[in-house]
Amino acid sequence: MLLIFPDISTISDYVSSELIRKIRRKPELVLGAATGGTMEPIYARFVEQARQQRLDVSKLVSFNLDEYVGLEPDHPKSYFAYMQEHLFKHLGFDASRHHLPDGLAKDLTGHCRAYSAKVRERGGIDLQLLGVGGNGHIGFNEPGTAFDSRCHVVQLTERTRKDNSRFFAKNAIVPASAITMGLQDIMEAREILLIATGVNKARIMAEYYENDITEAIPFTILKRHPRVKIVLDEAAASELPGSVRQPLAARYG
Ligand code: F6R
């Protein structure tokens, strides 16, 4: 299902309300969390609405998609620090229920195996939030990643390091590798919400609809998922083929 909203503000309202509705229905919801610029306004809106509505998040469980290898958790650019900053600290999350891969693990391969296993032990992901990279990556599953991949260590492409350099200080070095949940892990989520905003995502979103399922564009695997919603703002939808937009226009009037 494809939903197109005017802007990031209306997307944030929608995603935040969806999250709240699902947590009310199932307080022990297992959330697959993403980081990145796309999610920042969404988490901000969720924090605001959850406070206003006194939402009980004490039973919520989360698993993040990824973490850089080699960054201390309290490094300001680690995804652990991102989650603290944008979500955990605001709602008093209990750390034992909220999981991120450990980029400092001595045995990274063993840690990855244990991370995928822990998701399954917790009953699997109920709702997976996803952003998408300009090259079609989800999590840090870069083009060419096998569709049957599990949590693994990945060498980041130059493009991803360049895209993410905007989050780091001017001359800081963006880590060369990361741990990411695999495409198979992501596909096992019961429901998926992929969000893309801004004109920088317009080309890759058009490619999603123009191409068949291919490992060269990792997120095309989502076409095989029975419950995936793609949520775009007008800018990210601006290059979609007419054949995708026209039936929508008919549906939404
Ligand atoms: C982050 C993640 C990545 C981002 C993607 C888009 O946890 O898994 O796949 O979602 O790189 O990043 P932004 O939102 O910064 O454009």
Side-chain angles (χ1 to χ4, degrees), residues 34-38 65-66 79 131-133 137-140 166-167 201:
T35 58
T38 311
L65 279 168
D66 38 21
Y79 286 163
V132 60
H137 74 213
I138 43 178
F140 273 136
R166 71 191 195 278
F167 297 115
K201 301 290 166 69

Side-chain angles (χ1 to χ4, degrees), residues 178-240:
I179 297 175
T180 183
M181 296 223 286
L183 292 168
Q184 177 81 32
D185 296 310
I186 292 172
M187 287 295 284
E188 284 173 6
R190 283 181 271 282
E191 192 177 350
I192 296 179
L193 209 55
L194 179 132
I195 303 140
T197 55
V199 70
N200 289 345
K201 301 290 166 69
R203 183 83 301 267
I204 197 64
M205 286 316 309
E207 281 179 28
Y208 178 84
Y209 289 101
E210 287 163 1
N211 287 279
D212 290 333
I213 298 169
T214 165
E215 286 179 356
I217 310 173
F219 80 136
T220 54
I221 183 75
L222 299 180
K223 295 182 190 198
R224 284 198 192 134
H225 195 285
R227 290 186 73 199
V228 55
K229 267 186 204 159
I230 296 190
V231 178
L232 307 180
D233 66 358
E234 282 292 349
S238 59
E239 290 188 34
L240 292 189

Side-chain angles (χ1 to χ4, degrees), residues 134-198:
N135 62 3
H137 74 213
I138 43 178
F140 273 136
N141 294 287
E142 299 284 35
T145 306
F147 283 154
D148 62 0
S149 55
R150 292 285 180 190
C151 181
H152 62 286
V153 176
V154 59
Q155 298 306 310
L156 299 176
T157 59
E158 275 316 305
R159 169 157 192 187
T160 296
R161 293 180 74 201
K162 191 161 164 281
D163 284 351
N164 286 7
S165 64
R166 71 191 195 278
F167 297 115
F168 286 76
K170 205 153 168 242
N171 292 316
I173 294 178
V174 179
S177 56
I179 297 175
T180 183
M181 296 223 286
L183 292 168
Q184 177 81 32
D185 296 310
I186 292 172
M187 287 295 284
E188 284 173 6
R190 283 181 271 282
E191 192 177 350
I192 296 179
L193 209 55
L194 179 132
I195 303 140
T197 55

